[in-house]
Amino acid sequence: MALFQRRHAVAVWVLAFMFAAWLAACGGGTAPAPSFGRLAYVTNWGSNDVSAYTINSASGALTPVKCVGAACSLINNFVAGAGPNSISADPKGRFAYVANMASNDISAYTIDATTGALTQVVCAAGCSAITPANFAAGTGTNSIAVDPFGKFVYATNQVSGSISAYTINVSSGALTAVAGSPFAAGAVPASVAIGPTGLFVYVANSNSGNISVYAINATTGALTAIAGSPYAAGSLPYAVTIDPGGKFAYVANYGSNDISAYTINATTGALTRISCGPAGTAGCTGAAVPTNFAAGTKPYSVAVDPLGKYAYVTNSVSGNVSAYVINGTTGALAAVAGSPFAAGTNPRSVIVDASGNFAYVADFGSNAIYVYGIASATGALTAIAGSPFAAGANPSSIITVQ
């Protein structure tokens, strides 16, 4: 009888899941609840490796996935190139890609769907001169993103001022340079992001003080700058992110200690600045409209939760995270009560998992990952039990994978 009940319960759950998916596909009913992240990956700049973790979906806690075999670092992490600075994964959680800033290349991995372990995809063509198993990029490869359809990879090259573009072999995960790559960017491109439609690429040019926007050729992956690009930001824009709905863009300005916000034209990809308010308004920076939204000292990274309700910014020098409520109509930011929230000594990267319940911060200074529960009604952060969790040396970037 118990076995029958279990089978019946499973059957009912499966039918319910299928029905919800059908409703979503047809545009009817309510949106399905976001799925839970199951894996997390962290690039460790100082130890030249990647830490892997399984995620407890109830608590958000991290459990290390140990590397076993020859391709492991001394601390049983997964070997990367020199100075791994950024990591991204394809939307199906099959492949992970790491931008290695010091070796000017990209490490590619397949992801074990059961254990979370990484296996390196060895380069056969277009390989790195410094690390032959990796895929060659430009000089100072520092940020990387995979398009939402898992077709293309884009990486910014900070020193050579360009964007390397690749197609993904959907069977192996190997990369092939797109014709015309690399594509010109501004001075010291520090961050790359792709909108949820997969139509446009956004690049924060730190030393140019602006954002370049490119249209993606859906067939080839080639980039073409859109009319009006680049768009002015604050001083030393270091990170750019797009909200999950593709309506707004947010840029962390390392030099001016603030956030530039933009609305996105869904058809053209063009950006229009969102003003914080009249000059002198509390929480706003700048002497003239459009003003920016104040952050902490040296904001380094910005993330938006999967429902587009909240934004989180790591402040690398003040050692905390600024949290904001997003106005769903205008895109304007309002500080969450209690913000900023303490986050180690040099927080670099922040990500919100797919459930929207947890935020993860890679702290470069304390070699640890800080994990917070997110109050769904307010956006406030509370450290979970066990946080912070150990990482490798100088963790610089973190992602969660479904």
Side-chain angles (χ1 to χ4, degrees), residues 289-302:
V289 176
T291 53
N292 290 333
F293 299 86
T297 308
K298 305 305 179 186
Y300 198 93
S301 174
V302 58

Side-chain angles (χ1 to χ4, degrees), residues 190-191 204 206 211 233-241 249-262 293 295 298-303 312-315:
S191 175
S206 183
I211 309 301
S235 174
L236 299 178
Y238 205 79
V240 58
T241 195
Y250 298 97
V251 174
N253 298 306
Y254 188 87
S256 48
N257 300 326
D258 54 27
I259 308 301
S260 297
Y262 309 81
F293 299 86
K298 305 305 179 186
Y300 198 93
S301 174
V302 58
Y312 298 93
V313 175
T314 53
N315 302 302

Side-chain angles (χ1 to χ4, degrees), residues 151-152 154 167 178 198-200 214-224:
K151 296 171 62 179
F152 308 117
Y154 298 94
T167 57
V178 166
L199 296 176
F200 305 105
Y214 306 84
I216 299 174
N217 184 303
T219 303
T220 68
L223 300 181
T224 303

Side-chain angles (χ1 to χ4, degrees), residues 85-377:
N85 193 61
S86 177
I87 185 168
S88 187
D90 84 300
K92 293 184 179 179
R94 301 167 301 169
F95 311 118
Y97 300 94
V98 170
N100 301 303
M101 190 170 178
S103 53
N104 307 321
D105 53 33
I106 296 170
S107 299
Y109 307 88
T110 57
I111 299 173
D112 187 299
T114 302
T115 67
L118 300 178
T119 300
Q120 186 164 15
V121 177
V122 177
C123 179
C127 307
S128 169
I130 298 175
T131 314
N134 291 339
F135 297 87
T139 309
T141 311
N142 62 318
S143 180
I144 195 163
V146 181
D147 89 296
F149 302 106
K151 296 171 62 179
F152 308 117
V153 168
Y154 298 94
T156 53
N157 303 303
Q158 182 169 288
V159 177
S160 50
S162 62
I163 306 160
S164 294
Y166 308 84
T167 57
I168 298 174
N169 183 308
V170 296
S171 297
S172 69
L175 301 179
T176 300
V178 166
S181 176
F183 299 91
V188 189
S191 175
V192 59
I194 304 173
T197 61
L199 296 176
F200 305 105
V201 166
Y202 298 83
V203 172
N205 301 301
S206 183
N207 283 20
S208 300
N210 55 30
I211 309 301
S212 295
V213 184
Y214 306 84
I216 299 174
N217 184 303
T219 303
T220 68
L223 300 181
T224 303
I226 70 165
S229 176
Y231 297 87
S235 174
L236 299 178
Y238 205 79
V240 58
T241 195
I242 311 301
D243 88 298
K247 296 168 58 180
F248 310 118
Y250 298 97
V251 174
N253 298 306
Y254 188 87
S256 48
N257 300 326
D258 54 27
I259 308 301
S260 297
Y262 309 81
T263 58
I264 298 174
N265 183 304
T267 302
T268 67
L271 300 179
T272 301
R273 285 280 287 276
I274 300 167
S275 177
C276 177
T281 301
C284 302
T285 64
V289 176
T291 53
N292 290 333
F293 299 86
T297 308
K298 305 305 179 186
Y300 198 93
S301 174
V302 58
V304 177
D305 84 303
L307 296 180
K309 294 171 59 179
Y310 306 115
Y312 298 93
V313 175
T314 53
N315 302 302
S316 60
V317 172
S318 50
N320 51 29
V321 177
S322 295
Y324 307 87
V325 178
I326 298 174
N327 183 307
T329 302
T330 67
L333 302 177
V336 165
S339 177
F341 301 91
T345 59
N346 189 355
R348 292 288 183 91
S349 175
V350 60
I351 192 74
V352 179
D353 82 320
S355 72
N357 293 329
F358 304 107
Y360 296 83
V361 173
D363 185 51
F364 192 88
S366 62
N367 301 333
I369 307 303
Y370 285 75
V371 184
Y372 306 85
I374 299 175
S376 61

